[in-house]
Amino acid sequence: MGKNSQDSFYITTPIYYVNAEPHIGHAYTTIVADVIARFYRLSGFDTFFLTGTDEHGNKVVEAAEKSGETVKTYVDRISQIFKETWPKINIKHDYFVRTTDKNHKDTVSKILSQVYAKGDIYFSEYEGKYCIGCERFYTDTELLNGKCPIHLAEPKIISEENYFFRMSNYQEWLINYIKSNPDFIRPERYRNEVIAFLREPLEDLCISRPKTRLSWGIPLPFDDNYVTYVWFDALINYISALGYPDGDLFKKFWPVAQHIIAKDILKPHGIFWPCMLKAAGIEPYQHLNVHGYWNVNMGKMSKSLGNIVKPMDLATKYGLDAFRYFLLRDMVFGLDSDFTEESLVKRFNSDLANDLGNLISRSMNMVVKYFDGKLKPSSQFKEEDIRLQDASYRVVEEYKDMMKEFTFHKALIIVWELIGKANKYIDTMKPWSLATQNQERLNTVLNAVTEVIKIVSVLLWPFMPHTAEKIQHQLGLGIVGEKLPLNSVKKWGEMQRVRPLSKAAALFPRVEHDRELTPPSLGSKKIKEQDLKEDKKKGFSSGMAGPKVGEKVKEEPGLISLEDFQQLDIRVGTIKEADTIPGSKKLLKLVVDIGEERTIVAGMAAYYQTNDLINKQVIVIANLVPVTLMGVESRGMILAAEDEKGVYLLIPDKESKPGSKIR
Ligand code: MSP
């Protein structure tokens, strides 16, 4: 192994119940784990990333019965679906643990025996309120109007003789531990929640189920009439997978363990698990990282509501990297987020197609156009280049801190600020003008731009590995992906190019949200006519209650629908060049930067001097079918007002970034 724990990183996801197939919530947690694991790998750490499935307990048995399979066949089948899903969304875990694995079962028995021998497990009768969905007893104060706050179902009263773990023995220790390790549970709101819970006396934990009621579980090593409570079994996966107690992996990775969970399972991870570890004589984990819930149209996702969002559907429709980017950018880690496909499309178009896509395509186009892809190394950087260099180095440092704190959306925001700065730098340096005036300077400017693009690609690799690698390939780099480590980026001028730079097809061609096929709340599920009829009956007024697929809206003459309007791609542009067209009194040929350069022919020669137009900002319709006027192809239209005195360009109130959308 070589390195010690200092250079190691261990990350886990919850092990998912096999009573349902993976949805966007599971995908989010697992992608977060993948992103952070990739970040640490890129930082040179030995990294171990664990995920898996939780296969015991009532819930699973009930799901197997419903599907008509034996429990074993059922758990094998669903566990396999999870296992096969993760690589499809480019998740590179190191190990997939199943609680039905022999090694796991043996470790659970070992821990139970240890804690029992210590006297921390006793036999007693208990009556309590039990939620099958959560597989746990609830105290009255935890219930919401008498119902489980997660499943909104009334718990069952269960009374039986069972084994109990003396969790109460560890209450004081845990309070002190959390107080002296302020970032043990983070973000802070969840630490506070656990502390608030610990203000009440902690009850002992019922850790067994009589086999007469549930036989699908790990038998207690000290009483064969009982199986282990599913949570006591499941939590142990985090150490069984590392080969506790003697395995090298355990020794190396347990001291740096970090868990990721959503808020739904805070109590088992924030309270049961540290107490179990303490009782077994094992050091607590390092951090518990807790995120919020993805809701759909402000409500919970559930099979019965038919609003389960399936990760593969979205990844197939929009591309895997775009899907991963959206999840990490749109959720503030720790808070809930509302999923809509419209917001995914918006992010796609503005951040990926516009900002990132344009930076790459315009830069590569220029390098290919002006230098045939062969940039010479340059060190003749001027003040404005150094400013861009400093900004990019600063971003790298801030990004590292933000990633370590799990504030992924902030890390992405600063990367996008850097992309914005690079786009602005190009606008200011005007390489297209340098092309005719100063080749040396042009070479330096394009060097600066490609250095920033390289940094951006490395910072984006944990989030969007395919995209980052494609960009690095276009840059002509010899080492790409994981092999291009984070500490290599803070060195401008050391790019190891083995090929000329190249341009490729657009990374993210703009997409339109296909409202007809994909209603906002249903992911990729098609609207069924029946659903629409139901909605009408209920008088819903959301997008769902709109016209049936294929049904025409009642048209009023002269009015267009919002959908028709939204088809227009209207953007802010900056005029870069303006020329008269020989033989035409009316027409001017303009080159306009609308996030990319376009030639547009405009009928304003009678009203504007070409010189006055340079650097003016205008409003452009960008998605008109091209037309050829006086031998010049025009790809877009510039908006202007006209009255009896003349024609006036429409200009934005404040200077806006070229390519900004008009809404
Ligand atoms: N089997 C237990 C965990 C045992 S860990 C020792 C379990 N499984 S689960 O299948 O219900 O998964 C819960 C986890 O899935 C959440 O903590 C979260 O990571 C993820 N999510 C499930 N639904 C989610 C959302 N709607 N939003 C975000 N994440 C959610 O609990």
Side-chain angles (χ1 to χ4, degrees):
M1 302 245 143
K3 297 179 184 172
N4 58 30
S5 290
Q6 293 296 307
D7 312 307
S8 312
F9 177 72
Y10 176 35
I11 193 73
T12 71
T13 71
I15 45 171
Y16 304 110
Y17 286 129
V18 287
N19 64 338
E21 292 183 23
H23 59 57
I24 193 174
H26 306 119
Y28 174 74
T29 314
T30 317
I31 292 173
V32 166
D34 188 62
V35 168
I36 196 77
R38 284 173 186 270
F39 164 75
Y40 274 96
R41 290 214 296 271
L42 212 55
S43 308
F45 282 56
D46 273 345
T47 299
F48 197 81
F49 166 13
L50 177 72
T51 188
T53 41
D54 187 354
E55 304 181 16
H56 292 125
N58 264 321
K59 268 214 271 212
V60 172
V61 174
E62 281 179 4
E65 275 165 9
K66 258 194 212 151
S67 78
E69 290 159 279
T70 65
V71 185
K72 176 79 175 97
T73 315
Y74 174 80
V75 299
D76 284 350
R77 181 169 66 78
I78 307 283
S79 175
Q80 191 60 23
I81 295 177
F82 274 93
K83 203 170 179 177
E84 283 170 5
T85 296
W86 302 142
K88 286 186 201 153
I89 52 176
N90 214 349
I91 280 165
K92 287 218 168 18
H93 50 276
D94 294 287
Y95 191 66
F96 189 95
V97 61
R98 299 182 58 185
T99 53
T100 49
D101 290 341
K102 179 171 182 316
N103 168 51
H104 172 77
K105 292 196 266 188
D106 291 349
T107 312
V108 172
S109 292
K110 188 189 289 283
I111 299 274
L112 280 165
S113 303
Q114 271 167 232
V115 179
Y116 186 68
K118 197 176 173 195
D120 272 344
I121 290 176
Y122 62 92
F123 191 63
S124 170
E125 180 156 11
Y126 181 77
E127 180 174 286
K129 295 179 179 164
Y130 193 79
C131 170
I132 294 203
C134 298
E135 297 276 16
R136 76 169 176 96
F137 286 102
Y138 271 91
T139 61
D140 283 334
T141 45
E142 284 179 282
L143 295 173
L144 204 72
N145 301 324
K147 291 183 176 169
C148 159
I150 309 277
H151 295 91
L152 303 177
E154 268 191 37
K156 274 188 187 172
I157 306 275
I158 290 189
S159 157
E160 63 194 13
E161 286 190 307
N162 264 312
Y163 285 88
F164 290 81
F165 165 49
R166 283 189 210 281
M167 204 152 69
S168 51
N169 274 0
Y170 297 96
Q171 177 159 13
E172 276 315 303
W173 165 80
L174 183 56
I175 293 172
N176 291 332
Y177 192 84
I178 295 175
K179 288 197 170 151
S180 47
N181 294 277
D183 57 0
F184 180 56
I185 299 171
R186 58 188 189 181
E188 201 182 354
R189 53 178 24 228
Y190 296 109
R191 168 182 184 263
N192 294 342
E193 220 173 274
V194 169
I195 289 187
F197 195 86
L198 288 170
R199 284 201 192 102
E200 303 294 320
L202 198 54
E203 285 180 19
D204 289 341
L205 182 67
C206 175
I207 55 147
S208 64
R209 298 291 178 265
K211 277 192 178 165
T212 47
R213 178 154 77 80
L214 175 74
S215 61
W216 181 249
I218 303 175
L220 291 185
F222 40 82
D223 188 340
D224 198 40
N225 295 315
Y226 287 85
V227 294
T228 313
Y229 166 48
V230 65
W231 270 107
F232 201 96
D233 154 0
L235 287 160
I236 290 172
N237 88 86
Y238 300 132
I239 56 172
S240 72
L242 295 181
Y244 168 83
D246 300 318
D248 283 346
L249 290 175
F250 178 74
K251 288 179 196 151
K252 179 179 172 123
F253 288 111
W254 183 249
V256 290
Q258 296 207 32
H259 302 308
I260 306 175
I261 58 164
K263 62 183 187 178
D264 56 334
I265 50 177
L266 176 61
K267 190 174 172 189
H269 284 81
I271 296 180
F272 304 176
W273 183 222
C275 294
M276 285 166 65
L277 287 165
K278 183 74 184 161
I282 304 169
E283 282 299 303
Y285 50 80
Q286 201 178 42
H287 295 295
L288 178 63
N289 303 288
V290 190
H291 64 76
Y293 245 51
W294 279 101
N295 295 320
V296 173
N297 281 6
M298 312 307 275
K300 225 177 121 65
M301 255 184 295
S302 82
K303 263 193 203 163
S304 54
L305 290 174
N307 63 355
I308 299 286
V309 181
K310 290 193 180 172
M312 281 321 297
D313 293 352
L314 290 166
T316 310
K317 191 164 173 187
Y318 296 103
L320 180 49
D321 277 3
F323 171 61
R324 289 171 60 113
Y325 170 76
F326 169 77
L327 290 183
L328 273 286
R329 174 62 186 81
D330 247 45
M331 178 173 262
V332 174
F333 192 90
L335 303 181
D336 290 354
S337 240
D338 194 39
F339 176 84
T340 65
E341 210 170 327
E342 285 99 323
S343 37
L344 194 163
V345 170
K346 253 192 203 156
R347 279 250 169 258
F348 185 104
N349 285 335
S350 72
D351 298 7
L352 300 179
N354 255 11
D355 301 340
L356 176 63
N358 282 337
L359 173 65
I360 309 296
S361 71
R362 68 200 291 217
S363 311
M364 298 301 169
N365 280 343
M366 287 190 283
V367 176
V368 170
K369 180 171 166 192
Y370 300 133
F371 294 107
D372 201 19
K374 292 169 204 137
L375 275 186
K376 283 187 285 154
S378 172
S379 52
Q380 308 291 309
F381 294 124
K382 288 191 181 174
E383 200 185 317
E384 51 270 40
D385 315 331
I386 307 278
R387 233 180 287 132
L388 183 65
Q389 184 185 45
D390 288 347
S392 58
Y393 287 179
R394 255 197 323 275
V395 165
V396 174
E397 287 313 303
E398 287 171 16
Y399 165 95
K400 285 186 197 162
D401 291 340
M402 289 165 178
M403 295 295 279
K404 286 181 199 153
E405 285 161 10
F406 280 61
T407 47
F408 304 105
H409 72 290
K410 283 194 192 164
L412 288 170
I413 287 173
I414 60 164
V415 174
W416 253 258
E417 282 170 5
L418 182 59
I419 292 172
K421 283 201 171 105
N423 270 323
K424 183 101 201 171
Y425 172 85
I426 297 177
D427 297 342
T428 318
M429 295 299 137
K430 301 190 178 50
W432 45 90
S433 308
L434 290 173
T436 52
Q437 299 156 9
N438 188 344
Q439 287 280 312
E440 197 59 39
R441 178 72 189 134
L442 175 65
N443 183 70
T444 304
V445 164
L446 291 179
N447 257 289
V449 172
T450 50
E451 290 289 353
V452 178
I453 292 178
K454 178 187 151 193
I455 292 183
V456 165
S457 76
V458 174
L459 301 184
L460 288 185
W461 184 78
F463 298 91
M464 301 195 282
H466 286 323
T467 304
E469 285 167 22
K470 273 193 216 158
I471 296 173
Q472 291 165 1
H473 190 84
Q474 285 189 59
L475 286 171
L477 296 182
I479 46 170
V480 293
E482 193 177 337
K483 298 197 187 77
L484 198 55
L486 202 50
N487 60 14
S488 75
V489 296
K490 276 185 64 173
K491 287 175 195 149
W492 271 27
E494 291 192 6
M495 249 195 253
Q496 296 186 14
R497 296 200 192 100
V498 296
R499 270 166 280 114
L501 289 85
S502 56
K503 54 182 184 182
L507 288 171
F508 299 103
R510 294 177 70 80
V511 295
E512 297 303 330
H513 181 221
D514 186 350
R515 292 171 66 86
E516 288 201 333
L517 290 177
T518 319
S521 61
L522 297 190
S524 63
K525 235 181 136 197
K526 300 216 162 118
I527 305 179
K528 291 191 211 115
E529 282 202 358
Q530 189 53 37
D531 294 341
L532 289 158
K533 278 186 203 136
E534 286 302 316
D535 285 336
K536 277 201 176 140
K537 264 195 260 160
K538 290 179 200 150
F540 286 170
S541 62
S542 70
M544 293 277 300
K548 267 188 294 202
V549 175
E551 185 186 62
K552 273 241 166 203
V553 192
K554 221 167 85 199
E555 284 169 7
E556 266 187 58
L559 295 186
I560 63 164
S561 69
L562 186 62
E563 275 85 346
D564 287 343
F565 171 72
Q566 281 169 338
Q567 297 214 2
L568 292 175
D569 181 2
I570 317 179
R571 300 193 219 166
V572 174
T574 304
I575 300 179
K576 297 289 173 195
E577 294 171 25
D579 282 310
T580 50
I581 298 181
S584 171
K585 285 194 185 127
K586 279 193 192 161
L587 301 179
L588 293 179
K589 178 185 162 192
L590 309 174
V591 175
V592 187
D593 177 4
I594 53 166
E596 66 197 45
E597 283 187 13
R598 288 276 181 95
T599 301
I600 298 177
V601 177
M604 49 187 53
Y607 310 100
Y608 286 89
Q609 296 293 322
T610 49
N611 278 352
D612 294 340
L613 287 171
I614 304 295
N615 286 334
K616 243 194 197 3
Q617 289 218 298
V618 286
I619 308 297
V620 174
I621 301 191
N623 60 343
L624 287 178
V625 177
V627 287
T628 302
L629 299 162
M630 299 292 288
V632 182
E633 186 185 59
S634 175
R635 296 182 54 230
M637 179 199 273
I638 295 185
L639 295 185
E642 185 174 17
D643 67 12
E644 59 284 358
K645 289 191 211 123
V647 165
Y648 316 101
L649 286 173
L650 299 190
I651 51 177
D653 187 24
K654 290 214 174 88
E655 171 146 349
S656 318
K657 196 162 83 183
S660 306
K661 282 282 273 175
I662 314 287
R663 298 171 192 287

